């Protein structure tokens, strides 16, 4: 099994910054990608940012230039630096990890429990 632990959410004012962190642990053989999705009540979960095993990154158009995803020094850790936050960034942010575990079978998508980010105007 693979577990994800997220931290760093909270309440900030518009224009301020937050940094989310996510650490994957457990029976991991290889991590293919890690990143963040976000979801507001009644809406579909949308990709915010992802970092692939080779180091390439993807961002939602709405966060380009404001958010930066990076790997941590600790193995299987990823950060999301969120600057110039806007009220529309308010959501529950979910860390995900696409990984091959040590158990037989193909790669799977694992999810964290989510961390709430609230941006007040």
């Amino acid at each position: 099994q693979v577990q994800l632990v997220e931290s760093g959410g909270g309440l900030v004012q518009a224009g301020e910054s937050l940094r989310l962190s996510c650490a994957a642990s457990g029976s991991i053989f290889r991590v293919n990608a890690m990143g963040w999705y976000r979801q507001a009540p009644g809406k579909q979960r949308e990709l915010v940012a992802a970092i692939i095993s080779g180091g390439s990154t993807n961002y939602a158009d709405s966060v380009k230039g404001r958010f930066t995803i990076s790997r941590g020094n600790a193995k299987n850790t990823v950060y999301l630096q969120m600057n110039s936050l806007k009220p529309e960034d308010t959501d529950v942010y979910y860390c995900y990890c696409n990984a091959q575990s040590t158990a037989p079978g193909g790669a799977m998508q694992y999810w964290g429990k989510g961390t709430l980010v609230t941006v007040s105007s």
Side-chain angles (χ1 to χ4, degrees):
Q1 275 288 3
V2 176
Q3 299 85 36
L4 301 182
V5 177
E6 304 141 322
S7 63
L11 171 64
V12 297
Q13 292 188 333
E16 294 185 340
S17 299
L18 277 176
R19 189 174 82 156
L20 305 182
S21 63
C22 176
S25 62
S27 305
I28 298 173
F29 175 71
R30 182 183 63 245
V31 171
N32 298 316
M34 290 186 73
W36 299 87
Y37 277 72
R38 64 186 181 187
Q39 186 173 26
K43 293 189 176 181
Q44 277 193 320
R45 194 171 289 191
E46 65 168 353
L47 177 67
V48 177
I51 186 163
I52 314 304
S53 60
S56 61
T57 56
N58 293 322
Y59 294 95
D61 288 342
S62 59
V63 307
K64 283 180 182 176
R66 298 188 298 123
F67 291 10
T68 303
I69 189 168
S70 61
R71 292 193 184 113
N73 290 328
K75 195 175 182 181
N76 300 330
T77 300
V78 65
Y79 299 106
L80 184 67
Q81 178 67 42
M82 305 186 294
N83 298 330
S84 303
L85 281 161
K86 303 176 181 180
E88 51 263 44
D89 293 318
T90 296
D91 266 322
V92 178
Y93 285 69
Y94 296 90
C95 178
Y96 86 94
C97 175
N98 184 285
Q100 175 76 48
S101 77
T102 56
M108 291 181 63
Q109 196 97 324
Y110 300 91
W111 294 94
K113 293 182 179 180
T115 184
L116 178 62
V117 172
T118 304
V119 184
S120 63
S121 57

